[in-house]
């Protein structure tokens, strides 16, 4: 009934053209089955938002209804394709969401499922899972990224920050690491059970490895001026670090987790930071000022020759990677007293083509989703930060603010 197609990013080097098309987007109405829980309406609101973000549906928020059979003809007359009815209940501190999905054309209930989350404040994930299930029914491209946790550091007071787990809309937040200045969190494995982060200990930046399940942290290593985990290999066995040893400028290092072996990859007298694995983890992209201004370069894991990757702009930073694809932030203003303009650009290492992703504002710290189809980034204002999501195949963007707080850094 519905036809979706998306040319894979590696099928052409138009890094980057908008390659998704749909002959007909299904029209879905989402209704709330009246219940005794205030969470039913909250889940409905989030589900409507998720369906819109997916770019796979025409979405309408329906009325409160009683749990009874549908009059399919009423919906047919309105050209509706699908009807989703949701409700929720609280059970021993958990939240349970109920979804019934009806296909108007077949006149049948095609999906009925319960979704349970461990605490009431996890209710946004009920909506995310419902959306993933509805999306799968129409066989649209995967949106499994919606269920992924975000880890972020946000400032609380001067010289203090907390590391938080969140969903992509920032509707769910859970503080996990507090006390002092806790910055630069980075997921340590695919399972998202380990977090690397930086904390000042004895006035030295120190990288710690935090185990979520046991709420324990162990020291990895220290450095004098800078100590940050900038990337983690897919198997979690290798880390790219930015370190500033005594009487040395910042350089990129490779750290092997099982052996604790540390290898210096760059040796420039200036600043080399923010290493990211590229080209199936054979090479490393990083930011350097070796041209007299920040720009993006690459080297291999043997620390061999360095080559320039980006030839656009004269102040390029905050690089992120997905295989051969690189997104970076480029400063495009020089405001001494206010926020500068930073825009995001997408390139491929085997192409000269550049795709501009943002047009205005302060857009920084881009990160790819696991499937490479989306980019998350921070949009800053004078008083707060927002997480932005760019749906690459659809050329659409969405913003989720963190009221009255500034995000220091994050990982997805």
């Amino acid at each position: 009934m519905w036809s979706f197609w998306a040319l894979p990013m590696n099928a052409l080097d138009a890094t980057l053209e908008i390659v998704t098309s749909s002959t007909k987007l299904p029209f879905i109405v989402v209704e709330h089955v009246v219940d005794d829980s205030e969470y039913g309406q909250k889940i409905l609101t989030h589900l409507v938002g998720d369906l819109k973000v997916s770019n796979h549906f025409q979405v309408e928020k329906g009325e409160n209804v009683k749990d009874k059979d549908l009059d399919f003809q009423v919906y047919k007359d309105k050209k509706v394709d699908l009807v989703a009815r949701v409700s929720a209940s609280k059970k021993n501190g958990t939240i349970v969401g109920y979804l019934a999905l009806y296909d108007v054309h077949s006149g049948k209930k095609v999906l009925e499922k319960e979704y349970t989350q461990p605490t009431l404040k996890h209710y946004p994930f009920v909506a995310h899972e419902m959306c993933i299930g509805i999306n799968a029914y129409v066989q649209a491209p995967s949106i499994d990224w919606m269920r992924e946790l975000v880890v972020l550091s946000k400032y609380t007071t001067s010289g203090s920050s907390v590391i938080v787990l969140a969903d992509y809309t920032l509707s769910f937040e859970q503080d996990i690491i507090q006390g002092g200045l806790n910055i630069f969190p980075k997921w340590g494995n695919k399972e998202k059970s380990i977090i690397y982060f930086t904390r000042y200990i004895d006035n030295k930046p120190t990288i710690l490895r935090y185990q979520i399940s046991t709420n324990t942290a162990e020291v990895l290593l220290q450095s004098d001026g800078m100590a940050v985990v900038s990337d983690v290999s897919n198997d979690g066995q290798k880390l790219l670090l930015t370190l500033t040893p005594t009487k040395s400028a910042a350089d990129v290092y490779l750290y092997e987790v099982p052996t604790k072996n540390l290898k210096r990859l760059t040796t420039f007298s200036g600043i080399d930071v923010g290493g990211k694995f590229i080209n199936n983890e054979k090479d490393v992209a990083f930011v350097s000022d070796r041209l007299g201004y920040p720009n993006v370069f690459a080297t291999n894991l043997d620390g061999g020759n360095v080559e320039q990757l980006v030839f656009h702009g004269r102040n390029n930073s905050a690089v992120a990677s997905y295989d051969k694809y690189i997104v970076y932030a480029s400063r495009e203003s020089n405001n001494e007293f206010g926020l500068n303009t930073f825009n995001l650009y997408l390139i491929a290492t085997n192409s000269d083509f550049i795709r501009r992703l943002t047009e205005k504002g302060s857009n920084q710290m881009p990160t790819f989703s696991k499937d490479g189809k989306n980019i998350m980034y921070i949009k800053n204002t004078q008083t707060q930060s927002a997480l932005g999501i760019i749906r690459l195949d659809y050329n659409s963007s969405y913003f989720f603010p963190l009221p009255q707080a500034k995000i220091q850094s994050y990982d997805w």
Side-chain angles (χ1 to χ4, degrees):
M1 183 184 302
W2 302 286
S3 176
F4 295 89
W5 61 273
L7 196 61
M9 286 181 73
N10 59 7
L12 52 83
D13 261 336
T15 339
L16 315 177
E17 304 220 349
I18 304 159
V19 293
T20 297
S21 176
S22 172
T23 56
K24 181 181 183 296
L25 291 181
F27 178 21
I28 184 169
V29 174
V30 185
E31 300 174 338
H32 174 230
V33 178
V34 178
D35 53 41
D36 296 329
S37 168
E38 70 273 24
Y39 287 93
Q41 280 285 0
K42 292 182 178 181
I43 289 170
L44 177 140
T45 299
H46 277 75
L47 177 56
V48 168
D50 284 346
L51 290 166
K52 291 179 179 178
V53 170
S54 78
N55 285 264
H56 298 157
F57 301 87
Q58 299 178 62
V59 188
E60 180 180 298
K61 184 176 180 180
E63 304 294 331
N64 286 339
V65 297
K66 295 182 178 179
D67 190 11
K68 62 180 181 180
D69 293 337
L70 266 71
D71 184 343
F72 287 102
Q73 189 59 49
V74 171
Y75 295 95
K76 283 183 180 180
D77 293 343
K78 295 179 180 179
K79 308 298 182 184
V80 173
D81 299 303
L82 298 167
V83 178
R85 288 187 166 179
V86 302
S87 61
S89 65
K90 297 179 285 187
K91 290 185 178 180
N92 300 320
T94 69
I95 183 72
V96 182
Y98 307 92
L99 169 67
L101 181 66
Y102 299 85
D103 188 322
V104 175
H105 298 279
S106 68
K108 295 180 180 178
K109 182 188 293 184
V110 293
L111 177 64
E112 188 171 25
K113 192 171 181 179
E114 292 185 6
Y115 302 86
T116 302
Q117 290 291 324
T119 70
L120 296 178
K121 66 181 181 180
H122 281 82
Y123 76 87
F125 288 101
V126 173
H128 302 335
E129 293 294 340
M130 287 179 175
C131 187
I132 291 169
I134 295 169
N135 189 74
Y137 172 71
V138 300
Q139 299 181 338
S142 173
I143 53 170
D144 287 356
W145 57 267
M146 284 188 177
R147 63 164 61 104
E148 294 294 332
L149 280 168
V150 178
V151 60
L152 61 89
S153 169
K154 67 176 182 179
Y155 292 110
T156 51
T157 59
S158 177
S160 180
S161 61
V162 59
I163 291 180
V164 177
L165 298 180
D167 75 320
Y168 83 94
T169 70
L170 299 180
S171 302
F172 164 80
E173 288 186 49
Q174 179 182 345
D175 296 352
I176 57 170
I177 301 173
Q178 304 177 67
L181 188 63
N182 306 291
I183 52 180
F184 298 112
K186 194 74 182 174
W187 290 115
N189 55 7
K190 287 183 177 180
E191 296 76 20
K192 295 190 172 181
S193 61
I194 295 170
I195 297 170
Y196 294 101
F197 71 100
T198 300
R199 172 185 286 171
Y200 277 80
I201 299 177
D202 297 330
N203 293 320
K204 280 192 172 185
T206 305
I207 296 174
L208 293 96
R209 175 185 168 103
Y210 175 79
Q211 188 79 37
I212 294 177
S213 62
T214 60
N215 190 30
T216 57
E218 59 176 321
V219 172
L220 207 66
L221 49 82
Q222 285 186 318
S223 187
D224 284 327
M226 195 173 187
V228 177
V229 176
S230 59
D231 205 6
V232 179
S233 63
N234 285 330
D235 62 5
Q237 300 301 296
K238 296 177 181 178
L239 312 179
L240 290 176
L241 313 180
T242 299
L243 301 175
T244 309
T246 305
K247 297 180 180 180
S248 176
D251 276 303
V252 177
Y253 290 76
L254 178 68
Y255 181 88
E256 296 182 0
V257 176
T259 63
K260 299 184 179 181
N261 181 56
L262 184 66
K263 179 182 179 180
R264 188 175 182 177
L265 298 182
T266 63
T267 57
F268 176 56
S269 59
I271 296 174
D272 293 336
V273 298
K276 300 288 183 179
F277 290 108
I278 59 172
N279 297 332
N280 200 27
E281 299 186 354
K282 296 177 183 177
D283 301 311
V284 177
F286 62 97
V287 175
S288 174
D289 67 352
R290 60 189 63 213
L291 293 180
Y293 58 89
N295 204 0
V296 183
F297 296 83
T299 187
N300 57 47
L301 289 183
D302 294 326
N305 293 332
V306 172
E307 63 175 319
Q308 185 176 346
L309 284 182
V310 175
F311 295 88
H312 162 271
R314 294 185 61 85
N315 198 323
N316 302 320
S317 60
V319 63
S321 63
Y322 177 80
D323 192 17
K324 64 182 179 181
Y325 298 97
I326 291 173
V327 60
Y328 64 93
S330 182
R331 194 175 81 176
E332 298 179 341
S333 70
N334 191 16
N335 189 336
E336 185 176 352
F337 300 105
L339 286 175
N340 279 293
T341 297
F342 287 84
N343 279 311
L344 303 182
Y345 292 84
L346 183 63
I347 66 171
T349 57
N350 61 349
S351 169
D352 294 330
F353 189 83
I354 299 176
R355 177 177 163 188
R356 184 172 178 164
L357 300 176
T358 59
E359 294 186 358
K360 59 183 179 180
S362 179
N363 309 289
Q364 297 174 290
M365 299 185 191
T367 301
F368 281 95
S369 59
K370 282 185 176 180
D371 61 6
K373 297 291 187 180
N374 311 276
I375 291 172
M376 180 177 283
Y377 63 101
I378 296 176
K379 180 176 280 287
N380 284 312
T381 66
Q382 294 285 6
T383 59
Q384 67 180 28
S385 302
L387 284 184
I389 296 281
I390 299 173
R391 299 279 281 133
L392 288 173
D393 286 343
Y394 307 92
N395 199 33
S396 59
S397 299
Y398 304 89
F399 300 100
F400 305 96
L402 187 63
Q404 304 303 313
K406 298 284 281 187
I407 297 173
Q408 184 272 330
S409 61
Y410 74 98
D411 193 23
W412 192 14

